Amino acid sequence: MASADPDIAPAPVVVDAAMLSGPRFAALPPLALYVHIPWCLRKCPYCDFNSHEARGDAPEAAYVDALLQDLEYALPSVWSRRVVSVFIGGGTPSLFSANAIDRLLAGIRARVPLSPDAEITLEANPGTFERGKFAGFRVAGVNRLSLGIQSFDPKHLAALGRVHDADEARRAAEAALAIFGNVNFDLMYALPGQTVAQAESDVATALSFAPAHLSFYHLTLEPNTLFHRYPPPLPDEETAADIEDAIHARLDAAGYRHYETSAHARPGQECRHNLNYWRFGDYLGIGAGAHSKLSFADRIVRQVRYRQPKQYLEQIAEGAPLQEDHVVTRAEVGFEFMLNALRLTDGVPASLFAERTGYPLALVRHGLTAAESRGLIERDPALVRPSELGRRFLNDLQALFLADEPANARQLR
Ligand SMILES: C[S@@+](CC[C@H](N)C(=O)[O-])C[C@H]1O[C@@H](n2cnc3c(N)ncnc32)[C@H](O)[C@@H]1O
Ligand code: SF4
């Protein structure tokens, strides 16, 4: 058909059958399980996670019952698939007793086949630290602890509204290392009034514990937070960039590989659960507001559970915990894959695209060509890997894949 606009030549119609049908999978991706615990001792002023002040006791027993019921409802979607990792996140899962976590993990094991070497992570806040409780988490089967330290500087902890002080952070860190061995610390940088020297001191203290893994997040002002409404005095862009460079240099010198945008690990100690997200693996998310991405022979679906804990519990009782449930379209899937894979310093094998999306890599050829011509990805036919420039301007790089759909496919949808 001729174009209506005389200045635009008609595009050659190249119909690629593989791109016009739905996805096709030779094998389904690895499956991980995420469990959301939505309560905290107190809401931090910078945090937009689905976390709610516990105000007295969180309904721990009823919530564990609901999680196991939730998993049971979801079983037909993951039937017979092995679970390779479990991540109990929040909120503050360490608010729960060791007994509750034990019942949760036993209930999970009774319902899904868990790999014998599954990584089982639990997120903990130093403000909830009790040695006996943390030891109980380990006995329950948790084999990796992720501790929300944020900073070791009393002034910064106070500015962040944390419930714990620096001594409590150190004590929890020490005990976590002794009990679990495999530990991550979450720290944030570009904190209110923070200097390069103060950030370096945080890194040095963190390194003195020699954890397996360190996550360093640039503090961001998220909408719907107190910090967004009343912004604290943050370091300017140049200082923030200097802080980031200093952190990365110190971690690199100490043998921690910067393997993902915010994650650093000793070789072989990368977070397997998160790597599965970045490699576009599957995950079932249970609990209030949890997200899932699940592949079937002919489609990928995304689901979101009801977000408010009370409503989630009511919906579980009704047998209908899903607030959203939709099939990922061909137009979305290329962008979603690249959004994740490009966070990884080493990128991913090019063949992973077809394995995990069910479409040939040609689905994102326009984005790849644009990214290559701007020097944002490396030219290697066997790999999809961001260049150093691409890592620095990751948002710009990811955005190139937003509308990456061949015109012919768009017309024929
Ligand atoms: C669910 S919390 C971790 C466990 C626990 N709730 C705690 O805070 O101790 C996940 C992590 O996200 C990071 N985070 C939360 N809000 C952030 C923000 N606005 N900017 C940067 N990082 C943030 C923090 O480092 C936090 O430890
Ligand atoms: S940062 Fe952690 S402790 Fe603070 S409100 Fe968010 S989830 Fe809760």
Side-chain angles (χ1 to χ4, degrees):
M1 190 175 68
S3 165
D5 185 338
D7 293 334
I8 299 176
V13 178
V14 184
V15 178
D16 184 332
M19 287 202 287
L20 298 180
S21 61
R24 290 284 173 269
F25 295 98
L28 296 181
L31 175 68
L33 177 67
Y34 175 78
V35 183
H36 193 76
I37 312 275
W39 292 282
C40 295
L41 281 174
R42 195 165 74 206
K43 184 77 184 174
C44 302
Y46 55 86
C47 176
D48 78 336
F49 283 73
N50 183 24
S51 58
H52 309 264
E53 209 160 295
R55 291 198 190 94
D57 282 345
E60 149 179 311
Y63 194 73
V64 171
D65 289 343
L67 288 170
L68 295 177
Q69 186 65 65
D70 193 350
L71 181 56
E72 221 145 89
Y73 291 143
L75 284 182
S77 311
V78 294
W79 204 245
S80 81
R81 292 177 67 184
R82 186 177 283 274
V83 170
V84 297
S85 61
V86 179
F87 195 103
I88 308 172
T92 302
S94 57
L95 259 187
F96 274 22
S97 65
N99 194 33
I101 298 299
D102 183 50
R103 198 158 70 81
L104 172 66
L105 287 174
I108 290 171
R109 280 197 192 91
R111 286 165 179 80
V112 289
L114 198 57
S115 286
D117 65 340
E119 177 189 87
I120 303 180
T121 305
L122 180 129
E123 280 189 329
N125 181 318
T128 62
F129 169 64
E130 291 163 40
R131 190 173 292 272
K133 179 153 91 166
F134 276 36
F137 293 151
R138 180 72 191 93
V139 173
V142 173
N143 54 28
R144 181 174 185 272
L145 199 83
S146 178
L147 199 55
I149 299 272
Q150 319 311 346
S151 172
F152 289 101
D153 183 322
K155 197 170 76 267
H156 288 134
L157 287 173
L160 291 171
R162 296 292 290 178
V163 290
H164 56 90
D165 61 22
D167 283 345
E168 284 169 312
R170 285 169 194 267
R171 270 201 301 278
E174 217 171 79
L177 263 304
I179 295 167
F180 294 90
N182 191 7
V183 174
N184 167 60
F185 294 166
D186 280 346
L187 280 100
M188 296 192 294
Y189 64 93
L191 306 177
Q194 192 178 40
T195 63
V196 174
Q198 287 168 340
E200 285 183 323
S201 160
D202 267 351
V203 182
T205 309
L207 287 173
S208 71
F209 292 96
H213 194 286
L214 282 162
S215 302
F216 268 86
Y217 300 105
H218 189 304
L219 174 66
T220 49
L221 298 185
E222 303 289 346
N224 301 318
T225 63
L226 208 67
F227 270 14
H228 197 261
R229 224 172 317 144
Y230 307 104
L234 296 178
D236 58 41
E237 243 178 70
E238 206 176 314
T239 311
D242 289 346
I243 289 176
E244 188 174 295
D245 288 345
I247 291 172
H248 293 173
R250 288 217 160 204
L251 292 174
D252 195 49
Y256 288 75
R257 223 174 146 248
H258 185 196
Y259 71 99
E260 184 270 344
T261 312
S262 309
H264 307 253
R266 295 223 213 88
Q269 311 231 254
E270 297 83 5
C271 176
R272 285 194 257 150
H273 183 87
N274 287 342
L275 270 178
N276 187 54
Y277 292 143
W278 298 319
R279 292 180 178 150
F280 214 55
D282 275 3
Y283 50 95
L284 171 66
I286 57 172
H291 291 236
S292 306
K293 177 228 153 203
L294 296 169
S295 307
F296 298 85
D298 59 352
R299 68 194 187 285
I300 300 176
V301 301
R302 286 201 177 275
Q303 301 172 337
V304 187
R305 278 151 170 75
Y306 283 91
R307 190 177 158 88
Q308 289 298 326
K310 186 167 168 284
Q311 195 180 11
Y312 168 76
L313 288 167
E314 287 164 3
Q315 291 295 135
I316 285 285
E318 301 264 306
L322 299 188
Q323 185 164 30
E324 286 173 39
D325 185 7
H326 77 272
V327 173
V328 178
T329 65
R330 184 188 48 224
E332 294 163 336
V333 75
F335 172 67
E336 290 190 8
F337 179 93
M338 299 307 280
L339 193 68
N340 284 285
L342 292 170
R343 295 179 65 96
L344 293 168
T345 305
D346 290 340
V348 292
S351 57
L352 198 75
F353 187 90
E355 261 173 55
R356 298 290 157 88
T357 66
Y359 291 99
L361 185 62
L363 189 69
V364 288
R365 60 175 176 255
H366 301 327
L368 288 172
T369 307
E372 258 185 24
S373 71
R374 287 168 214 196
L376 297 172
I377 58 169
E378 289 188 357
R379 285 176 170 275
D380 181 339
L383 280 178
V384 174
R385 183 182 182 186
S387 64
E388 209 179 313
L389 192 68
R391 293 210 303 277
R392 192 165 278 269
F393 297 101
L394 185 60
N395 291 342
D396 297 335
L397 170 56
Q398 289 164 329
L400 293 176
F401 295 90
L402 248 182
D404 202 330
E405 199 187 1
N408 54 341
R410 229 174 356 245
Q411 288 163 14
L412 292 165
R413 186 169 329 140

